[in-house]
């Protein structure tokens, strides 16, 4: 080559230029701003009531005590009962596990049928399902209450599971339909030529290669159902109140002294399940959001 | 055609999606043990036709028979067909062995028979060492072999291939092409093979069906398709480098028909017309394949030389290795001539070439049909 190659010249770029510094400083401030409430919660939950009354909410505990956590879990009062949050925790589990399994089982088959076994009107059916996800929940509450009453299951575990399954259907079906539609259609054809039927193709060919989307669906449903308050308070019935409802009853108790440390511990306990799910599967969590957004 | 030996028969098959018609009134009889290639550009309906035969697409009209049985509305598994796809379509979570046996397992066959058939297929395709691997650990050629094996274990009557080699690189494609041909010789099954690659079509086929716009343009032996294309589309689709097309008009010269190409008159005395010779003044297109043109000057005995000699200039040279493509002109229109690479020509030099009109094709300019 006749052209002389261009050597790098001038000062080596500095690691931390002023603009970089500004960005990091901004991010640091934002992080502190959002972490501060969590810090206050953790610190307060580890203090005794006398120390809280001093009013220094940002100061670390002088004497660490786990008693508020034990109280929150075991003996905090909600109305007349003083059995702590554990009742709500197990109620939430009883609601969560069947709801997640039933909603995903139905939605995955829906998505499979809508992408691979198109029938006359399947597009219309799908469109109606998607429109369902744009209607505010509150609009449907009263009709649903009547439906549940007529079915004779209002105020039971069955009712809340049915409600969660219904409301999970649009987004989960969309998720599964898009995932199955993106799989090579030749796989489906090959399985049909091989003689596999509707369920054999789904269970033996497509489902085993769709683990990522099932994980995404589980994460979406677990966080959604666990954090639900509205449906729980309306449909579950008093003895099945989920953890979120119980938390509200503990924190908003009007009698007696406000036990801030117990309230803080109870709040952290309630938020722990989705947080743990998030930390364990953050990668899939992000992928799920992206899958729903881009391929829609 | 003996009806007893027809393996696959497609009768008046039409397929349309709404107002869009993909296949129009298509008829096709495929003989027992025949290797038929469906050839055409993308979007011509060749893969669609194959999917209809497989039962993966519901047809709008018509009937399909396989081995004399009406399978128009039968499930794919009940048609006695096996299919090999372009993307291999192997089940990624299953080992090669389980991929091969999947169809047999879902049909509830007993274990011993399954093992026997898998072993036989693995033996024929030489994939025994791969049986316990997953498709992800195989090369493209190995995957395609497994895909063929999946059809093989089911003892089907008809093999359907949907562009099976298009995802492979050129060298592997040539190897597997030979293997598929050998497989056909040893098994003797009916095979229907979809491709857009004319080399695959020419090398593999007993007969080729050239398709365009959902219609079979010509169904014939490769040699016939190549040498006597029924229309301009077929003529241009096969052959590389492509046939040269020269537009002109029919005139009478020396008492016989001739074609006048911008003033250059080429007599058609030796051309075999399909019907009566066309009347003077008719616009036509003369098609000449680059390999049907001779160079080196007229034979010493002009009587014996059946060629029509033209002299022009070399305008461009394209060496391809074994041959060189010489570009010249006839009546001002470009024409290509395939010559031995050992013969040397130079751009701008005079160039004499002889057209073999017995092997040329003449088409009506308006309709494109062979005259």
């Amino acid at each position: 080559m006749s052209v002389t190659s261009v050597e790098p010249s001038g000062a080596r770029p500095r690691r931390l230029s002023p603009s970089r510094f500004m960005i990091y400083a901004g991010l640091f401030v934002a992080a502190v701003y959002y972490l501060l409430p969590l810090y206050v919660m953790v610190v307060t939950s580890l203090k005794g009531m006398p120390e809280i009354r001093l009013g220094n909410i940002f100061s670390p505990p002088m004497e660490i005590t786990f008693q508020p956590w034990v109280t929150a879990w075991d003996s905090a009062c909600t109305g007349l009962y003083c059995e702590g949050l554990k009742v709500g925790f197990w109620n939430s589990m009883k609601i969560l596990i069947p709801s997640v399994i039933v909603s995903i089982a139905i939605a995955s088959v829906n998505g499979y049928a809508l992408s691979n076994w198109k029938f006359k009107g399947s597009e219309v059916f799908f469109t109606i399902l998607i429109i369902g996800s744009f209607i505010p929940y509150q609009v449907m509450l009263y009709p649903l209450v009547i439906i549940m009453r007529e079915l004779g299951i209002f105020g039971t575990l069955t009712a809340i599971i049915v409600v969660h399954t219904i409301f999970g259907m649009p987004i989960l079906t969309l998720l599964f339909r898009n995932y199955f539609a993106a799989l090579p259609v030749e796989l489906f054809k090959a399985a049909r030529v091989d003689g596999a039927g509707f369920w054999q193709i789904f269970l033996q060919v497509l489902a085993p290669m769709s683990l990522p989307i099932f994980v995404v669906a589980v994460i979406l449903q677990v966080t959604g159902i666990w954090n639900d308050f509205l449906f729980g308070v309306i449909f579950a019935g008093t003895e099945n109140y989920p953890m979120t409802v119980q938390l509200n009853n503990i924190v908003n108790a009007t009698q007696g002294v406000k036990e801030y440390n117990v309230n803080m511990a109870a709040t952290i306990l309630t938020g722990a399940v989705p947080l743990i799910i998030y930390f364990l599967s953050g990668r899939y969590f992000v992928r799920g959001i992206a899958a729903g957004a881009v391929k829609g | 055609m003996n009806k007893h030996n027809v393996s696959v028969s497609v009768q008046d098959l039409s397929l349309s999606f709404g107002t869009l018609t993909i296949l129009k009134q298509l008829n096709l009889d495929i003989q027992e043990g025949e290797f038929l290639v469906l050839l055409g550009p993308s979007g011509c309906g060749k893969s669609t036709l194959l999917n209809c035969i497989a039962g993966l697409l519901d047809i709008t009209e018509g009937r399909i028979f396989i081995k004399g049985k009406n399978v128009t509305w039968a499930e794919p598994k009940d048609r006695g067909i096996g299919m090999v796809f372009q993307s291999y379509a192997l089940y990624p979570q299953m080992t090669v062995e389980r991929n091969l046996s999947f169809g047999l397992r879902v049909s509830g066959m007993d274990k011993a028979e399954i093992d026997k058939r898998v072993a036989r297929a693995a033996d024929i395709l030489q994939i025994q060492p791969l049986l316990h691997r997953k498709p992800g650990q195989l090369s493209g050629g190995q995957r395609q072999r497994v895909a063929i094996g999946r059809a093989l274990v089911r003892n089907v009557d008809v093999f359907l291939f949907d562009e099976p080699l298009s995802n492979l690189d050129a060298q592997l494609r040539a190897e597997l092409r030979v293997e598929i041909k050998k497989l056909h010789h040893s098994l003797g099954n009916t095979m229907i093979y979809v491709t857009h690659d004319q080399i695959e079509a020419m090398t593999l086929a007993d007969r080729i069906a050239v398709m365009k716009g959902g219609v079979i343009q010509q169904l014939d032996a490769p040699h016939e398709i190549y040498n006597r294309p029924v229309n301009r589309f077929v003529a241009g689709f096969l052959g590389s480098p492509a046939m040269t097309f020269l537009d002109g008009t029919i005139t009478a010269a020396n008492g016989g028909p001739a074609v006048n190409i911008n003033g250059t008159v080429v007599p058609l005395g030796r051309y075999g017309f399909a019907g009566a010779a066309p009347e003077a003044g008719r616009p036509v297109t003369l098609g000449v394949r680059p390999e049907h043109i001779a160079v080196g000057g007229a034979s010493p005995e002009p009587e014996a030389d059946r060629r029509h000699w033209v002299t022009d200039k070399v305008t461009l040279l394209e060496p391809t290795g074994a041959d060189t493509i010489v570009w010249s002109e006839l009546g001002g229109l470009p024409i290509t001539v395939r010559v031995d690479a050992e013969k040397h020509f130079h751009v701008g030099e005079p160039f004499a070439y002889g057209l073999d009109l017995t092997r040329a094709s003449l088409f009506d300019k308006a309709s494109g049909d062979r005259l």
Side-chain angles (χ1 to χ4, degrees):
Chain A
M1 280 223 288
S2 59
V3 183
T4 50
S5 60
V6 180
E7 293 283 337
S9 58
R12 188 163 171 224
R14 266 183 299 167
R15 273 274 164 77
L16 197 65
S17 63
S19 61
R20 281 264 132 186
F21 180 79
M22 288 306 289
I23 289 171
Y24 284 127
L27 287 174
F28 179 75
V29 171
V32 169
Y33 179 79
Y34 283 106
L35 281 174
L36 211 53
L38 184 65
Y39 167 77
V40 171
M41 283 168 74
V42 173
V43 168
T44 309
S45 73
L46 296 174
K47 289 175 186 171
M49 278 311 287
E51 204 181 323
I52 291 172
R53 288 199 195 91
L54 294 176
N56 302 323
I57 62 165
F58 293 111
S59 65
M62 287 178 284
E63 218 178 302
I64 292 179
T65 168
F66 290 100
Q67 190 52 45
W69 289 72
V70 177
T71 309
W73 177 255
D74 218 33
S75 59
C77 294
T78 61
L80 293 176
Y81 307 99
C82 289
E83 289 169 326
L85 263 180
K86 63 175 190 290
V87 182
F89 177 82
W90 293 115
N91 280 347
S92 274
M93 281 293 175
K94 274 188 262 176
I95 295 168
L96 179 75
I97 292 168
S99 300
V100 168
I101 292 172
V102 171
S103 61
I104 291 177
I106 297 176
S108 59
V109 176
N110 268 353
Y112 160 65
L114 284 171
S115 74
N116 285 316
W117 297 87
K118 294 218 169 69
F119 49 92
K120 215 176 173 71
S122 60
E123 293 299 314
V124 177
F125 178 81
F126 181 63
T127 310
I128 291 171
L129 201 59
I130 296 310
I131 290 172
S133 62
F134 292 106
I135 298 174
Y137 291 165
Q138 290 77 356
V139 174
M140 290 185 262
L141 283 179
Y142 187 54
L144 266 173
V145 168
I146 294 171
I147 291 170
M148 293 302 153
R149 188 191 68 197
E150 292 304 309
L151 290 172
I153 55 172
F154 182 73
T156 65
L157 217 49
T158 316
I160 183 72
I161 291 166
V162 168
V163 168
H164 279 309
T165 303
I166 292 171
F167 281 98
M169 217 37 57
I171 185 69
L172 288 183
T173 303
L174 176 74
L175 207 65
F176 278 104
R177 194 201 79 121
N178 288 346
Y179 188 85
F180 288 131
L183 292 178
V185 68
E186 292 191 339
L187 268 172
F188 172 74
K189 288 183 176 181
R192 279 195 74 192
V193 171
D194 264 344
F198 183 92
W199 292 107
Q200 283 167 323
I201 295 176
F202 179 64
L203 295 173
Q204 296 187 40
V205 177
L206 296 181
M209 59 188 293
S210 308
L211 189 66
I213 203 68
F214 278 97
V215 174
V216 167
V218 167
I219 292 166
L220 277 179
Q221 284 300 82
V222 168
T223 44
I225 293 171
W226 190 271
N227 290 337
D228 161 65
F229 177 87
L230 187 61
F231 295 146
V233 83
I234 295 172
F235 293 99
T238 42
E239 67 272 34
N240 296 320
Y241 274 164
M243 205 170 180
T244 45
V245 176
Q246 275 213 318
L247 173 68
N248 174 68
N249 293 352
I250 289 172
V251 173
N252 288 339
T254 46
Q255 289 125 331
V257 188
K258 279 226 181 253
E259 293 184 289
Y260 291 108
N261 50 0
V262 174
N263 292 350
M264 294 300 182
T267 309
I268 296 172
L269 280 172
T270 307
V273 169
L275 274 177
I276 288 168
I277 293 272
Y278 177 75
F279 280 120
L280 288 181
S281 55
R283 193 162 51 93
Y284 284 110
F285 193 86
V286 174
R287 196 188 292 178
I289 294 165
V294 180
K295 288 179 191 161
Chain B
M1 212 177 268
N2 187 345
K3 272 285 173 196
H4 293 291
N5 292 335
V6 174
S7 174
V8 178
S9 176
V10 174
Q11 297 176 1
D12 297 321
L13 186 146
S14 294
L15 178 78
S16 40
F17 297 115
T19 54
L20 183 69
T21 306
I22 312 290
L23 299 171
K24 290 168 201 149
Q25 292 285 310
L26 200 135
N27 283 285
L28 182 62
D29 278 335
I30 300 154
Q31 300 297 301
E32 190 70 56
E34 185 175 17
F35 200 119
L36 181 100
V37 171
L38 299 173
L39 177 69
S42 43
C44 72
K46 56 191 192 300
S47 277
T48 308
L49 174 58
L50 198 74
N51 277 288
C52 288
I53 295 172
L56 294 168
L57 276 175
D58 286 342
I59 64 173
T60 313
E61 261 175 64
R63 292 185 299 175
I64 299 169
F65 292 84
I66 295 177
K67 283 237 167 179
K69 206 173 92 190
N70 187 340
V71 294
T72 312
W73 300 107
E75 278 294 300
K77 68 177 160 80
D78 301 324
R79 296 185 178 213
I81 52 123
M83 195 157 174
V84 179
F85 297 91
Q86 180 178 355
S87 67
Y88 324 121
L90 300 179
Y91 313 124
Q93 73 279 12
M94 300 182 200
T95 61
V96 168
E97 187 182 7
R98 292 187 69 76
N99 260 285
L100 292 176
S101 62
F102 180 72
L104 307 178
R105 280 186 282 126
V106 297
S107 75
M109 186 182 280
D110 68 77
K111 184 87 173 65
E113 176 67 14
I114 292 177
D115 289 346
K116 210 173 79 189
R117 292 211 191 171
V118 168
R120 178 176 156 267
D123 189 48
I124 292 174
L125 296 163
Q126 298 174 334
I127 50 174
Q128 302 99 322
L130 311 176
L131 282 179
H132 297 289
R133 291 204 204 159
K134 294 255 175 90
Q137 299 165 297
L138 304 179
S139 69
Q142 290 169 332
R143 285 181 209 186
Q144 200 51 279
R145 248 175 239 157
V146 176
I148 295 171
R150 204 161 50 178
L152 209 56
V153 290
R154 292 178 50 238
N155 284 351
V156 295
D157 301 316
V158 183
F159 278 75
L160 306 176
F161 293 92
D162 192 359
E163 308 219 15
L165 306 183
S166 300
N167 280 8
L168 301 172
D169 61 58
Q171 198 187 344
L172 204 54
R173 203 181 304 170
E175 275 175 35
L176 270 170
R177 203 170 64 209
V178 175
E179 283 191 29
I180 290 175
K181 188 152 194 170
K182 280 186 191 159
L183 193 70
H184 180 240
H185 280 305
S186 62
L187 295 175
N189 289 61
T190 307
M191 294 189 177
I192 308 177
Y193 187 106
V194 164
T195 184
H196 61 262
D197 183 318
Q198 48 168 309
I199 310 284
E200 278 173 33
M202 294 297 289
T203 52
L204 290 169
D206 292 327
R207 281 194 302 164
I208 298 174
V210 182
M211 291 183 69
K212 182 196 170 195
V215 176
I216 294 179
Q217 306 286 313
Q218 187 170 6
L219 172 62
D220 231 322
H223 180 264
E224 278 295 300
I225 297 241
Y226 191 76
N227 288 300
R228 291 184 61 81
V230 294
N231 59 35
R232 204 185 142 155
F233 170 78
V234 175
F237 193 75
L238 280 116
S240 176
M243 183 183 263
T244 299
F245 293 109
L246 304 158
D247 288 343
T249 46
I250 295 287
T251 54
N254 301 333
V259 57
N260 182 336
I261 299 158
N262 293 341
T264 306
V265 175
V266 178
L268 294 169
R270 294 179 187 278
Y271 179 75
F273 288 103
E279 70 283 6
R282 185 158 173 183
V284 293
T285 303
L286 181 67
V288 191
R289 294 210 179 274
E291 51 273 35
H292 294 160
I293 302 174
V295 292
S299 149
E301 302 153 58
E303 286 299 310
D305 189 0
R306 53 205 172 94
R307 296 170 196 278
H308 174 75
W309 288 89
V310 180
T311 304
D312 209 292
K313 280 193 172 64
V314 176
T315 57
L316 190 74
L317 293 169
E318 280 186 289
T320 65
D323 303 307
T324 299
I325 310 302
V326 180
W327 287 71
S328 184
E329 286 184 347
L330 193 155
L333 300 173
I335 183 168
T336 53
V337 182
R338 189 199 288 267
V339 302
D340 194 317
E342 295 306 310
K343 293 182 181 157
H344 294 285
F345 297 93
H346 301 281
V347 174
E349 277 182 357
F351 180 62
Y353 54 91
L355 307 174
D356 182 354
L357 287 154
T358 59
R359 302 173 81 176
S361 297
L362 191 70
F363 305 105
D364 182 81
K365 197 183 170 193
S367 69
D369 291 338
R370 187 182 187 89
L371 293 170

